[in-house]
Amino acid sequence: MKKITLFGTILGTILGTVGLLTSCGNQPSSSSNTTPTTVTPTTTVTPTTTATPTTTVTPTTTVETPKVTEVKITNETTKYFVGDSVQINTKLTTTGENADKTLVYKTSSATTATVSDTGLVNFLSAGSVTITASSASNETVKDEITFEVAKKVPTKIEINKDFTSGRVGDEFELSYVVTPTECKEDVKVEISDSTILERKENKIKLLKEGSATISVVSKSDDKVKDELTIQVLKAAPTSITINNTKTSYYVGTSFELDYTILPSSADENVQITIDPSDAASIEGNTVSVLKDGTVTIKIASLVKEEIFGTFTFTAVRPDFLINKEGYAKNVDYSHMNDKDEPYLQTNAVSETDNPHAFAMFNASGTRYYAEASVSMIGSSSDGWARFGIGSATDDADGYARAFFFSPKEGQKTVMMDVPNGWGAITAQSMIWQANGISTMDPSDLKLGILRDGDNYYYLLNNKLYWFEISDKFHDVDTYPTIITKDTQINITNWSVTLDKATIDEKLNTAAFKQVFFNADTSGHVTFVNDSEFSMTGGAVFQNAAVKPLGDKALLKGNFAIEFDLSGVGADANNDNNTRIGVALRQVGIESPYVADTFAMTNNGAQAFDYRIFNWSGGDHTYWQNQDKATRADGVTVEGHYKLVRTLTSETSATLVLYFNDAAVLNITTSYVGNYHPIFGANLASGTFRNVTFYGIE
């Protein structure tokens, strides 16, 4: 409201008069006779009253500038997410069309939301923010709106699972989809074992063998996630190098294949091939040379076949250790490599000279088979001449154990140590003339040995003649060796193999499985097989017998022997000394022959008989310590027998003889060692069937 003073009245009158006189451009034009218009001001004026002038004054009218009197924000939605935008909409109330409608926008938090000059709001972070719209001409005329801004969170995560396994050193790109898509940054990637998988941005590198899980998890809600388990395999090799440098090997020998796979963490699964395939065999990393010629070994990666290494060598025919000292010096090796008919020849040494000659195969181990043909040229007359095959250690003195054939004393075989002493092994192993020995030709004889750990098989002309279980060379590599004493021989057609398959095949043949042999020399024993044989009267127990091939029937600890006996008869001219039965030969003693003997007699005294049997020379010298279970005349001794040994202490044992399941003899003995069973007859006849023996726990 304007205040009108007296000065103002007077001034207004003057100005009004002047205005009338000058005709103002803002007034519409009029004729001279136009009656003056009185202008009513839009502002209500309250005049001030003074003394009485009588003059009438026409006031001046003031026109106000149009303006905005009200700003109204019309947006209805107030809840938004980070990243959203919204335009501020307004309704203005003005005092005229020409009012300044310019608005000024402000935000209460620039970190929560920004607002442009035109009122476009961008939401930046979660929170509450107020946007104010003010009149540019009067900031007191305004309106405001408050927005609640929330952060968008993932509702679903899906990992690309095309890659689930790889090898050390591999890389792959981790790919995943987050719903909603704008929340992709609101997730975290976790790896269960950082020693197995390494993450660099979205690249995943496989570090070492194992398994690890990748988890993509919402930062807002750890229940919203997805997982990918990666199986890491060893790295594919970059190279395979065979380190063996030797260019030739003897057939029948073996060597360790040495190779390097890089990197050291690479997959070690390889395929080893041999060309030609029958030239060698391999078990583990051990190569056994089987055939002469050029041999190539290829080692190829099973995971990357283009990565491989090769090794070529020459396999040469079997040879012998020619540079050995001691007994090996007594062999002439000069014809060993003859092209047509190679041979070795032992020197004609005598007892007073170095009595042995060793031809040691150039192959060693704890498992081998070796053979050779030998021809005796001659022998000295001052010693017990013999030749054989055995196992020797690699020393100058020629320490060995061998199975010998001797052309003397009607021809015989025996196991002996070299250098030898006449010990238990010799005493219990001598076989005279029996089992075809007497008819063998010393000028054309084939020797063979198979060593299988502590088991030793000895052959003559491809037939098993002795078997021994011995710890003499337990876990010690030995050389198969041909040995002579006081004898000169030629050696030809030699061979040796360490090949497992070949040895296993031999062990499964009938020749190696035989247990007993016919020890008779006078035609009183008929040997059918290991479980059936017959005796006829006329010979003594020692010779009319079936014996085991060495330790083929070794009885240890608690054991039992069973058999059926039939057709028992006596020599009519020797009623008082007839017997047929089984003897338990004590093993490991130097006495020529000591046995616990159970005999079934069929003479005038009808009895089951136990005696200790000693033998020296060509006949038994005595039976002693007789225990007898007398039977009535005419009562049969034919039937089923079972003999049981039970150890009762460290120094005593019982031997119980059962006849048709009834105990008929019970013997206590101080011998607790091992036995060899021998089935024999003394001036008696009978047939053994269903012969079995077995250990008892």
Side-chain angles (χ1 to χ4, degrees), residues 84-332:
D84 288 348
S85 300
V86 66
Q87 178 64 49
I88 300 296
N89 298 316
T90 58
K91 182 179 180 181
L92 304 181
T93 302
T94 64
T95 58
E97 287 293 325
N98 296 324
D100 184 1
K101 299 176 182 178
T102 304
L103 296 176
V104 176
Y105 298 94
K106 293 182 179 179
T107 177
S108 64
S109 174
T111 59
T112 305
T114 62
V115 61
S116 71
D117 292 343
T118 61
L120 181 64
V121 181
N122 290 311
F123 299 107
L124 305 179
S125 65
S128 179
V129 63
T130 299
I131 304 298
T132 304
S134 307
S135 171
S137 60
N138 187 356
E139 65 180 7
T140 63
V141 180
K142 63 183 178 179
D143 196 11
E144 64 184 25
I145 185 171
T146 299
F147 295 104
E148 298 297 328
V149 186
K151 185 178 180 181
K152 288 185 180 179
V153 297
T155 58
K156 185 178 181 181
I157 301 171
E158 292 180 291
I159 301 176
N160 185 333
K161 295 181 173 64
D162 289 343
F163 188 94
T164 58
S165 67
R167 298 191 173 278
V168 174
D170 288 351
E171 289 185 345
F172 74 97
E173 185 151 352
L174 179 65
S175 174
Y176 54 88
V177 175
V178 180
T179 304
T181 57
E182 56 265 37
C183 293
K184 189 169 183 178
E185 300 303 319
D186 189 35
V187 298
K188 56 185 177 180
V189 179
E190 299 174 344
I191 296 176
S192 63
D193 192 336
S194 60
T195 67
I196 295 177
L197 300 178
E198 179 186 57
R199 177 180 177 236
K200 291 184 178 179
E201 295 181 350
N202 280 342
K203 292 287 186 181
I204 304 296
K205 187 173 183 179
L206 283 56
L207 301 179
K208 73 173 185 179
E209 185 182 11
S211 177
T213 298
I214 301 171
S215 301
V216 181
V217 187
S218 168
K219 294 178 181 178
S220 304
D221 184 358
D222 59 9
K223 295 180 180 178
V224 180
K225 64 180 180 179
D226 197 10
E227 294 180 337
L228 172 64
T229 298
I230 304 296
Q231 188 69 39
V232 184
L233 307 175
K234 288 184 176 181
T238 57
S239 69
I240 298 177
T241 304
I242 300 178
N243 304 316
N244 298 79
T245 58
K246 192 174 179 179
T247 58
S248 66
Y249 292 92
Y250 287 107
V251 174
T253 63
S254 62
F255 64 92
E256 291 299 306
L257 193 60
D258 180 23
Y259 59 93
T260 302
I261 299 176
L262 293 178
S264 58
S265 60
D267 192 308
E268 298 176 349
N269 289 309
V270 296
Q271 181 182 41
I272 302 176
T273 56
I274 298 173
D275 184 29
S277 58
D278 61 346
S281 66
I282 187 164
E283 183 174 356
N285 287 341
T286 302
V287 178
S288 297
V289 186
L290 306 177
K291 184 179 177 182
D292 59 348
T294 300
V295 184
T296 298
I297 297 176
K298 179 181 179 181
I299 304 177
S301 169
L302 283 176
V303 300
K304 198 173 184 179
E305 62 182 11
E306 63 268 27
I307 303 298
F308 63 88
T310 59
F311 169 60
T312 300
F313 66 90
T314 302
V316 298
R317 67 175 300 112
D319 211 342
F320 294 82
L321 298 176
I322 62 176
N323 297 319
K324 295 294 296 175
E325 297 295 323
Y327 300 145
K329 296 171 65 176
N330 296 326
V331 181
D332 179 3

Side-chain angles (χ1 to χ4, degrees), residues 525-541:
V525 176
T526 300
F527 184 83
V528 179
N529 52 47
D530 287 332
S531 63
E532 182 177 344
F533 30 82
S534 300
M535 283 83 177
T536 59
V540 295
F541 201 100

Side-chain angles (χ1 to χ4, degrees), residues 1 144 154 172 191 222 355 418 449 612 667:
M1 176 181 294
E144 64 184 25
F172 74 97
I191 296 176
D222 59 9
V418 180
I449 179 174
I612 295 178
I667 308 301

Side-chain angles (χ1 to χ4, degrees), residues 194-495:
S194 60
T195 67
I196 295 177
L197 300 178
E198 179 186 57
R199 177 180 177 236
K200 291 184 178 179
E201 295 181 350
N202 280 342
K203 292 287 186 181
I204 304 296
K205 187 173 183 179
L206 283 56
L207 301 179
K208 73 173 185 179
E209 185 182 11
S211 177
T213 298
I214 301 171
S215 301
V216 181
V217 187
S218 168
K219 294 178 181 178
S220 304
D221 184 358
D222 59 9
K223 295 180 180 178
V224 180
K225 64 180 180 179
D226 197 10
E227 294 180 337
L228 172 64
T229 298
I230 304 296
Q231 188 69 39
V232 184
L233 307 175
K234 288 184 176 181
T238 57
S239 69
I240 298 177
T241 304
I242 300 178
N243 304 316
N244 298 79
T245 58
K246 192 174 179 179
T247 58
S248 66
Y249 292 92
Y250 287 107
V251 174
T253 63
S254 62
F255 64 92
E256 291 299 306
L257 193 60
D258 180 23
Y259 59 93
T260 302
I261 299 176
L262 293 178
S264 58
S265 60
D267 192 308
E268 298 176 349
N269 289 309
V270 296
Q271 181 182 41
I272 302 176
T273 56
I274 298 173
D275 184 29
S277 58
D278 61 346
S281 66
I282 187 164
E283 183 174 356
N285 287 341
T286 302
V287 178
S288 297
V289 186
L290 306 177
K291 184 179 177 182
D292 59 348
T294 300
V295 184
T296 298
I297 297 176
K298 179 181 179 181
I299 304 177
S301 169
L302 283 176
V303 300
K304 198 173 184 179
E305 62 182 11
E306 63 268 27
I307 303 298
F308 63 88
T310 59
F311 169 60
T312 300
F313 66 90
T314 302
V316 298
R317 67 175 300 112
D319 211 342
F320 294 82
L321 298 176
I322 62 176
N323 297 319
K324 295 294 296 175
E325 297 295 323
Y327 300 145
K329 296 171 65 176
N330 296 326
V331 181
D332 179 3
Y333 302 97
S334 61
H335 298 279
M336 182 177 63
N337 295 316
D338 288 1
K339 183 177 181 181
D340 296 327
E341 296 181 0
Y343 68 94
L344 308 180
Q345 189 175 98
T346 62
N347 297 341
V349 294
S350 65
E351 188 75 33
T352 58
D353 206 351
N354 190 341
H356 290 91
F358 277 25
M360 301 176 66
F361 286 87
N362 190 14
S364 65
T366 61
R367 205 167 190 262
Y368 48 73
Y369 175 77
E371 64 180 26
S373 297
V374 298
S375 176
M376 189 178 73
I377 302 171
S379 63
S380 64
S381 59
D382 57 353
W384 182 28
R386 58 188 180 270
F387 58 88
I389 192 167
S391 301
T393 56
D394 185 16
D395 56 30
D397 294 330
Y399 185 52
R401 176 175 284 182
F403 177 72
F404 289 99
F405 175 90
S406 175
K408 294 195 173 184
E409 300 179 9
Q411 301 192 164
K412 63 182 177 180
T413 58
V414 66
M415 286 292 304
M416 298 189 75
D417 285 336
V418 180
N420 66 284
W422 197 277
I425 179 65
T426 305
Q428 68 189 33
S429 65
M430 285 188 292
I431 305 296
W432 283 268
Q433 298 91 42
N435 204 16
I437 294 174
S438 61
T439 61
M440 290 182 175
D441 183 2
S443 67
D444 185 15
L445 196 60
K446 185 177 181 180
L447 308 178
I449 179 174
L450 190 152
R451 180 184 177 186
D452 183 20
D454 289 342
N455 296 332
Y456 298 83
Y457 302 79
Y458 300 96
L459 299 94
L460 296 175
N461 294 336
N462 297 318
K463 180 180 178 181
L464 183 66
Y465 268 82
W466 198 253
F467 171 77
E468 182 183 29
I469 302 172
S470 173
D471 61 0
K472 183 181 183 70
F473 301 119
H474 181 67
D475 285 341
V476 175
D477 289 349
T478 56
Y479 295 81
T481 304
I482 298 172
I483 305 175
T484 68
K485 179 188 179 294
D486 298 330
T487 308
Q488 189 176 22
I489 62 172
N490 277 350
I491 305 169
T492 59
N493 300 320
W494 57 78
S495 68

